[in-house]
Amino acid sequence: MRGLLARRMKFHLLGAFLVSVGCATLYKFAVAEPRKRAYAEFYRHYDPVKDFEAMKAAGVLESAPAK
């Protein structure tokens, strides 16, 4: 029983480190990268002037009344 805590602690610290690195890698490639690509694709075709005119025509903006 001597040194049991130290041995178990080494095993669990290594396991926790590997699990955390795995989770971070999984998040990066499963969530962060697709999100970046989706934002890039959206802003590649986004026209802010056209969007402003559509909101203005719909009467959404108080500071720019519809004509």
Side-chain angles (χ1 to χ4, degrees):
M1 297 275 293
R2 189 173 302 235
L4 180 64
L5 178 62
R7 274 187 307 189
R8 301 290 284 175
M9 188 66 78
K10 285 180 190 175
F11 173 75
H12 285 107
L13 281 175
L14 179 63
F17 178 75
L18 292 176
V19 167
S20 66
V21 168
C23 287
T25 304
L26 182 67
Y27 180 83
K28 177 176 174 43
F29 291 111
V31 176
E33 292 299 323
R35 186 178 290 170
K36 281 190 221 177
R37 282 193 301 271
Y39 275 107
E41 182 66 26
F42 174 78
Y43 283 110
R44 186 174 297 123
H45 303 291
Y46 179 67
D47 184 14
V49 175
K50 182 180 172 185
D51 198 28
F52 171 74
E53 292 299 329
M55 286 190 287
K56 184 177 170 184
V60 174
L61 304 173
E62 292 179 11
S63 62
K67 291 183 178 179

Coordinates of all heavy atoms in Angstrom, one line a residue:
M1 N 0.8 -1.2 0.0 CA 0.0 0.0 0.0 C 0.9 1.3 0.0 O 0.3 2.3 -0.2 CB -0.9 0.0 1.2 CG -1.9 -1.1 1.3 SD -3.4 -0.8 0.5 CE -4.1 0.5 1.4
R2 N 2.2 1.1 0.2 CA 3.0 2.2 0.2 C 3.2 2.8 -1.2 O 3.4 2.1 -2.1 CB 4.4 1.8 0.8 CG 5.3 3.0 1.0 CD 6.5 2.5 1.7 NE 6.2 1.9 3.0 CZ 6.7 2.2 4.1 NH1 7.5 3.2 4.2 NH2 6.3 1.5 5.2
G3 N 3.0 4.1 -1.3 CA 3.1 4.8 -2.6 C 1.9 4.6 -3.5 O 2.0 4.9 -4.7
L4 N 0.8 4.1 -3.0 CA -0.4 3.9 -3.8 C -0.9 5.2 -4.4 O -1.3 5.2 -5.6 CB -1.5 3.1 -3.0 CG -2.7 2.8 -3.8 CD1 -2.5 1.9 -4.9 CD2 -3.8 2.3 -2.8
L5 N -1.0 6.2 -3.6 CA -1.6 7.5 -4.0 C -0.7 8.1 -5.1 O -1.2 8.6 -6.1 CB -1.7 8.5 -2.9 CG -2.2 9.8 -3.2 CD1 -3.6 9.8 -3.8 CD2 -2.2 10.8 -2.0
A6 N 0.6 8.0 -5.0 CA 1.5 8.6 -6.0 C 1.4 7.8 -7.3 O 1.4 8.5 -8.4 CB 2.9 8.5 -5.5
R7 N 1.3 6.5 -7.3 CA 1.1 5.8 -8.5 C -0.2 6.1 -9.2 O -0.2 6.2 -10.4 CB 1.2 4.3 -8.2 CG 2.7 3.8 -8.2 CD 2.6 2.3 -8.1 NE 1.8 2.0 -6.9 CZ 1.6 0.8 -6.4 NH1 2.2 -0.3 -6.9 NH2 0.9 0.6 -5.3
R8 N -1.2 6.1 -8.4 CA -2.6 6.3 -9.0 C -2.7 7.8 -9.5 O -3.3 8.0 -10.6 CB -3.7 6.1 -8.0 CG -3.7 4.7 -7.4 CD -4.2 3.7 -8.4 NE -5.6 3.8 -8.5 CZ -6.3 3.1 -9.4 NH1 -5.7 2.3 -10.1 NH2 -7.6 3.3 -9.4
M9 N -2.0 8.7 -8.8 CA -2.0 10.1 -9.3 C -1.3 10.3 -10.6 O -1.8 11.0 -11.5 CB -1.4 11.0 -8.2 CG -1.6 12.5 -8.5 SD -3.3 13.0 -8.4 CE -3.4 13.0 -6.6
K10 N -0.2 9.6 -10.8 CA 0.5 9.7 -12.1 C -0.4 9.2 -13.2 O -0.5 9.8 -14.3 CB 1.8 8.9 -12.1 CG 2.9 9.5 -11.3 CD 4.1 8.6 -11.3 CE 5.1 9.1 -10.3 NZ 6.3 8.2 -10.2
F11 N -1.1 8.1 -13.0 CA -1.9 7.5 -14.0 C -3.1 8.4 -14.3 O -3.4 8.6 -15.5 CB -2.4 6.1 -13.5 CG -3.5 5.5 -14.4 CD1 -3.1 4.9 -15.6 CD2 -4.8 5.5 -14.0 CE1 -4.1 4.4 -16.4 CE2 -5.8 4.9 -14.8 CZ -5.4 4.4 -16.0
H12 N -3.7 8.9 -13.3 CA -4.9 9.8 -13.5 C -4.5 11.1 -14.1 O -5.3 11.7 -14.9 CB -5.7 9.9 -12.2 CG -6.5 8.7 -11.9 ND1 -6.1 7.9 -10.8 CD2 -7.6 8.2 -12.4 CE1 -7.0 6.9 -10.8 NE2 -7.9 7.0 -11.7
L13 N -3.4 11.7 -13.8 CA -3.0 12.9 -14.4 C -2.7 12.8 -15.9 O -3.1 13.6 -16.7 CB -1.7 13.5 -13.7 CG -2.0 14.2 -12.3 CD1 -0.7 14.6 -11.7 CD2 -2.9 15.4 -12.6
L14 N -2.0 11.7 -16.2 CA -1.7 11.4 -17.6 C -3.0 11.2 -18.4 O -3.2 11.8 -19.5 CB -0.8 10.2 -17.7 CG -0.5 9.8 -19.2 CD1 0.3 10.9 -19.9 CD2 0.3 8.5 -19.2
G15 N -3.9 10.4 -17.8 CA -5.2 10.2 -18.4 C -6.0 11.5 -18.6 O -6.6 11.7 -19.7
A16 N -6.1 12.3 -17.6 CA -6.8 13.6 -17.7 C -6.2 14.5 -18.7 O -6.9 15.2 -19.5 CB -6.8 14.3 -16.3
F17 N -4.9 14.5 -18.8 CA -4.2 15.3 -19.8 C -4.5 14.9 -21.2 O -4.9 15.7 -22.1 CB -2.7 15.3 -19.6 CG -1.9 16.1 -20.6 CD1 -1.9 17.5 -20.6 CD2 -1.2 15.5 -21.7 CE1 -1.2 18.2 -21.6 CE2 -0.5 16.2 -22.6 CZ -0.5 17.6 -22.6
L18 N -4.5 13.6 -21.5 CA -4.8 13.0 -22.8 C -6.3 13.3 -23.2 O -6.6 13.6 -24.3 CB -4.5 11.6 -22.8 CG -3.0 11.2 -22.8 CD1 -2.8 9.7 -22.7 CD2 -2.2 11.8 -23.9
V19 N -7.2 13.1 -22.2 CA -8.6 13.4 -22.5 C -8.8 14.8 -22.8 O -9.6 15.2 -23.8 CB -9.5 12.9 -21.3 CG1 -10.9 13.4 -21.5 CG2 -9.5 11.4 -21.2
S20 N -8.2 15.7 -22.1 CA -8.4 17.2 -22.4 C -7.8 17.6 -23.7 O -8.4 18.4 -24.4 CB -7.8 18.0 -21.2 OG -6.4 17.9 -21.2
V21 N -6.7 17.1 -24.1 CA -6.1 17.4 -25.4 C -7.0 16.8 -26.5 O -7.2 17.5 -27.5 CB -4.6 16.8 -25.5 CG1 -4.2 16.9 -26.9 CG2 -3.7 17.6 -24.6
G22 N -7.5 15.6 -26.3 CA -8.4 15.0 -27.3 C -9.7 15.8 -27.4 O -10.2 16.0 -28.6
C23 N -10.3 16.3 -26.3 CA -11.5 17.1 -26.4 C -11.2 18.4 -27.1 O -12.0 18.9 -27.9 CB -12.0 17.4 -25.0 SG -12.8 15.9 -24.3
A24 N -10.1 19.1 -26.8 CA -9.7 20.3 -27.5 C -9.6 20.1 -28.9 O -10.0 21.0 -29.8 CB -8.5 20.9 -26.8
T25 N -8.9 19.1 -29.4 CA -8.7 18.8 -30.8 C -10.1 18.5 -31.5 O -10.3 19.0 -32.6 CB -7.8 17.6 -31.0 OG1 -6.5 17.9 -30.3 CG2 -7.5 17.3 -32.4
L26 N -10.9 17.7 -30.8 CA -12.2 17.4 -31.4 C -13.0 18.7 -31.5 O -13.7 18.9 -32.6 CB -12.9 16.4 -30.5 CG -14.3 15.9 -31.0 CD1 -14.1 15.1 -32.2 CD2 -15.0 15.2 -29.9
Y27 N -13.0 19.6 -30.6 CA -13.8 20.8 -30.6 C -13.3 21.7 -31.8 O -14.1 22.3 -32.5 CB -13.7 21.6 -29.3 CG -14.4 22.9 -29.4 CD1 -15.8 22.9 -29.1 CD2 -13.8 24.1 -29.6 CE1 -16.5 24.1 -29.2 CE2 -14.5 25.3 -29.7 CZ -15.8 25.3 -29.5 OH -16.6 26.4 -29.5
K28 N -11.9 21.8 -31.9 CA -11.4 22.6 -33.0 C -11.8 22.1 -34.3 O -12.2 23.0 -35.2 CB -9.9 22.6 -32.9 CG -9.2 23.4 -34.0 CD -7.7 23.4 -33.9 CE -7.0 24.1 -35.0 NZ -7.5 25.3 -35.5
F29 N -11.7 20.8 -34.6 CA -12.0 20.4 -36.0 C -13.5 20.1 -36.2 O -14.0 20.1 -37.3 CB -11.2 19.1 -36.3 CG -9.8 19.5 -36.4 CD1 -8.8 19.0 -35.5 CD2 -9.3 20.2 -37.5 CE1 -7.5 19.4 -35.6 CE2 -8.0 20.6 -37.6 CZ -7.1 20.1 -36.7
A30 N -14.3 19.9 -35.1 CA -15.7 19.6 -35.3 C -16.6 20.8 -35.2 O -17.7 20.8 -35.7 CB -16.2 18.5 -34.3
V31 N -16.1 21.8 -34.4 CA -17.0 23.0 -34.2 C -16.3 24.3 -34.7 O -17.0 25.0 -35.5 CB -17.3 23.1 -32.7 CG1 -18.1 24.4 -32.4 CG2 -18.0 21.9 -32.2
A32 N -15.1 24.6 -34.3 CA -14.5 25.9 -34.6 C -14.2 26.1 -36.1 O -14.6 27.1 -36.7 CB -13.3 26.1 -33.8
E33 N -13.6 25.1 -36.8 CA -13.3 25.2 -38.2 C -14.5 25.3 -39.1 O -14.6 26.2 -39.9 CB -12.4 24.1 -38.6 CG -11.0 24.2 -38.0 CD -10.2 25.4 -38.4 OE1 -10.3 25.9 -39.5 OE2 -9.5 25.9 -37.5
P34 N -15.6 24.5 -38.9 CA -16.8 24.6 -39.7 C -17.4 26.0 -39.5 O -18.0 26.6 -40.4 CB -17.7 23.5 -39.3 CG -16.8 22.5 -38.8 CD -15.6 23.2 -38.1
R35 N -17.4 26.5 -38.2 CA -18.0 27.8 -37.9 C -17.3 28.9 -38.7 O -17.9 29.8 -39.2 CB -18.0 28.0 -36.4 CG -18.7 29.3 -36.0 CD -18.7 29.4 -34.5 NE -19.6 28.4 -33.9 CZ -19.6 28.1 -32.6 NH1 -18.9 28.8 -31.8 NH2 -20.4 27.2 -32.1
K36 N -15.9 28.8 -38.7 CA -15.1 29.8 -39.4 C -15.4 29.8 -40.9 O -15.6 30.8 -41.5 CB -13.6 29.6 -39.2 CG -13.1 30.0 -37.9 CD -11.6 29.9 -38.0 CE -11.0 29.4 -36.7 NZ -9.6 29.2 -36.8
R37 N -15.6 28.6 -41.4 CA -15.9 28.5 -42.9 C -17.3 29.0 -43.2 O -17.5 29.7 -44.2 CB -15.8 27.0 -43.3 CG -14.4 26.6 -43.5 CD -14.3 25.2 -44.3 NE -15.0 24.2 -43.6 CZ -14.5 23.4 -42.7 NH1 -13.2 23.5 -42.4 NH2 -15.2 22.4 -42.1
A38 N -18.2 28.8 -42.3 CA -19.6 29.3 -42.5 C -19.6 30.8 -42.5 O -20.3 31.4 -43.3 CB -20.5 28.7 -41.4
Y39 N -18.9 31.4 -41.5 CA -18.9 32.9 -41.5 C -18.2 33.4 -42.7 O -18.6 34.4 -43.3 CB -18.1 33.3 -40.2 CG -19.0 33.4 -39.0 CD1 -19.0 32.5 -38.0 CD2 -20.0 34.5 -38.9 CE1 -19.8 32.6 -36.9 CE2 -20.8 34.6 -37.8 CZ -20.7 33.6 -36.8 OH -21.5 33.7 -35.7
A40 N -17.1 32.8 -43.1 CA -16.4 33.3 -44.3 C -17.3 33.2 -45.5 O -17.3 34.2 -46.3 CB -15.1 32.5 -44.5
E41 N -18.0 32.1 -45.7 CA -18.9 32.0 -46.8 C -20.0 33.0 -46.8 O -20.4 33.6 -47.8 CB -19.5 30.6 -46.8 CG -20.4 30.3 -48.0 CD -19.7 30.3 -49.3 OE1 -18.5 30.0 -49.3 OE2 -20.4 30.6 -50.3
F42 N -20.6 33.3 -45.6 CA -21.6 34.3 -45.5 C -21.2 35.6 -45.9 O -21.8 36.3 -46.6 CB -22.2 34.3 -44.0 CG -23.2 35.4 -43.8 CD1 -24.5 35.2 -44.2 CD2 -22.8 36.5 -43.1 CE1 -25.4 36.2 -44.0 CE2 -23.7 37.6 -42.9 CZ -25.0 37.4 -43.4
Y43 N -20.0 36.1 -45.3 CA -19.5 37.4 -45.6 C -18.9 37.5 -47.0 O -18.7 38.6 -47.5 CB -18.5 37.9 -44.5 CG -19.3 38.3 -43.3 CD1 -19.2 37.5 -42.1 CD2 -20.1 39.4 -43.3 CE1 -19.9 37.9 -41.0 CE2 -20.8 39.8 -42.1 CZ -20.7 39.0 -41.0 OH -21.3 39.4 -39.9
R44 N -18.6 36.4 -47.7 CA -18.1 36.5 -49.0 C -19.2 37.0 -50.0 O -19.0 37.7 -50.9 CB -17.7 35.1 -49.5 CG -17.0 35.1 -50.9 CD -16.4 33.8 -51.2 NE -15.4 33.4 -50.3 CZ -15.4 32.3 -49.5 NH1 -16.4 31.4 -49.7 NH2 -14.4 32.0 -48.7
H45 N -20.5 36.7 -49.7 CA -21.6 37.1 -50.5 C -22.5 38.1 -49.9 O -23.6 38.4 -50.4 CB -22.4 35.8 -50.9 CG -21.6 34.8 -51.6 ND1 -21.1 34.9 -52.8 CD2 -21.3 33.5 -51.1 CE1 -20.5 33.8 -53.1 NE2 -20.5 33.0 -52.1
Y46 N -22.1 38.7 -48.8 CA -23.0 39.6 -48.0 C -22.9 41.0 -48.6 O -21.7 41.5 -48.8 CB -22.6 39.6 -46.6 CG -23.5 40.5 -45.7 CD1 -24.8 40.3 -45.5 CD2 -22.9 41.6 -45.1 CE1 -25.6 41.1 -44.7 CE2 -23.6 42.4 -44.3 CZ -25.0 42.2 -44.1 OH -25.7 43.0 -43.4
D47 N -24.0 41.6 -48.9 CA -24.0 43.0 -49.3 C -24.7 43.9 -48.3 O -25.9 43.8 -48.2 CB -24.7 43.1 -50.7 CG -24.6 44.5 -51.3 OD1 -23.8 45.3 -50.8 OD2 -25.4 44.8 -52.2
P48 N -23.9 44.6 -47.5 CA -24.6 45.4 -46.4 C -25.5 46.5 -46.9 O -26.5 46.8 -46.3 CB -23.4 46.0 -45.6 CG -22.2 45.9 -46.5 CD -22.5 44.8 -47.5
V49 N -25.2 47.1 -48.1 CA -26.1 48.2 -48.6 C -27.4 47.6 -49.0 O -28.5 48.1 -48.7 CB -25.4 48.9 -49.8 CG1 -26.3 49.9 -50.4 CG2 -24.1 49.5 -49.3
K50 N -27.4 46.4 -49.6 CA -28.6 45.8 -50.0 C -29.5 45.4 -48.8 O -30.7 45.5 -48.8 CB -28.3 44.5 -50.9 CG -29.5 43.8 -51.4 CD -29.1 42.6 -52.2 CE -30.2 41.7 -52.6 NZ -29.8 40.5 -53.2
D51 N -28.8 44.9 -47.8 CA -29.5 44.5 -46.5 C -30.1 45.7 -45.9 O -31.2 45.7 -45.4 CB -28.5 43.8 -45.6 CG -29.2 43.0 -44.5 OD1 -30.3 42.6 -44.7 OD2 -28.6 42.9 -43.4
F52 N -29.4 46.8 -45.9 CA -29.9 48.1 -45.3 C -31.1 48.6 -46.0 O -32.1 49.0 -45.4 CB -28.8 49.2 -45.3 CG -29.3 50.5 -44.9 CD1 -29.5 50.8 -43.6 CD2 -29.4 51.5 -45.9 CE1 -30.0 52.1 -43.3 CE2 -29.9 52.8 -45.5 CZ -30.2 53.0 -44.2
E53 N -31.0 48.5 -47.4 CA -32.2 49.0 -48.1 C -33.4 48.1 -47.9 O -34.5 48.6 -47.8 CB -31.8 49.0 -49.6 CG -30.8 50.0 -50.0 CD -31.2 51.5 -49.7 OE1 -32.5 51.8 -49.8 OE2 -30.4 52.3 -49.4
A54 N -33.2 46.8 -47.7 CA -34.3 45.9 -47.5 C -34.9 46.2 -46.1 O -36.2 46.2 -46.0 CB -33.8 44.5 -47.6
M55 N -34.1 46.4 -45.1 CA -34.6 46.8 -43.8 C -35.3 48.1 -43.8 O -36.4 48.3 -43.1 CB -33.5 46.7 -42.7 CG -33.0 45.4 -42.4 SD -31.9 45.3 -41.0 CE -30.5 46.0 -41.7
K56 N -34.8 49.1 -44.5 CA -35.4 50.4 -44.6 C -36.7 50.3 -45.3 O -37.7 50.9 -44.9 CB -34.4 51.3 -45.4 CG -34.9 52.7 -45.5 CD -33.8 53.5 -46.3 CE -34.3 54.9 -46.7 NZ -33.3 55.6 -47.4
A57 N -36.8 49.5 -46.4 CA -38.1 49.4 -47.1 C -39.1 48.6 -46.2 O -40.4 48.9 -46.3 CB -37.9 48.6 -48.4
A58 N -38.7 47.8 -45.3 CA -39.6 47.0 -44.5 C -40.1 47.9 -43.3 O -41.0 47.5 -42.6 CB -39.0 45.7 -44.0
G59 N -39.4 49.0 -43.0 CA -39.8 49.8 -41.9 C -39.2 49.4 -40.6 O -39.7 49.8 -39.5
V60 N -38.1 48.6 -40.6 CA -37.5 48.1 -39.4 C -36.7 49.2 -38.7 O -36.7 49.2 -37.4 CB -36.6 46.9 -39.7 CG1 -35.8 46.4 -38.5 CG2 -37.4 45.8 -40.3
L61 N -36.1 50.1 -39.4 CA -35.3 51.1 -38.8 C -36.0 52.4 -38.6 O -36.6 52.9 -39.5 CB -34.1 51.3 -39.8 CG -33.3 50.1 -40.2 CD1 -32.3 50.5 -41.3 CD2 -32.5 49.6 -39.0
E62 N -35.9 52.8 -37.3 CA -36.6 54.1 -37.0 C -35.9 55.3 -37.5 O -36.5 56.3 -37.8 CB -36.7 54.2 -35.5 CG -37.7 53.2 -34.9 CD -37.8 53.3 -33.4 OE1 -37.3 54.3 -32.8 OE2 -38.4 52.4 -32.7
S63 N -34.5 55.2 -37.6 CA -33.7 56.4 -38.0 C -33.7 56.6 -39.5 O -33.3 57.6 -40.0 CB -32.3 56.2 -37.5 OG -31.7 55.0 -38.1
A64 N -34.2 55.6 -40.3 CA -34.3 55.7 -41.7 C -35.7 55.3 -42.1 O -35.9 54.1 -42.5 CB -33.2 54.8 -42.4
P65 N -36.6 56.2 -42.1 CA -38.0 55.8 -42.4 C -38.1 55.4 -43.9 O -37.4 55.8 -44.8 CB -38.8 57.1 -42.2 CG -37.8 58.2 -42.2 CD -36.5 57.6 -41.8
A66 N -39.1 54.5 -44.1 CA -39.4 54.0 -45.5 C -39.9 55.1 -46.3 O -40.7 56.0 -45.9 CB -40.3 52.8 -45.4
K67 N -39.6 55.1 -47.6 CA -40.1 56.2 -48.5 C -41.4 55.8 -49.1 O -41.8 54.7 -49.4 CB -39.1 56.4 -49.6 CG -37.8 57.0 -49.1 CD -36.9 57.3 -50.2 CE -35.6 58.0 -49.7 NZ -34.7 58.2 -50.7

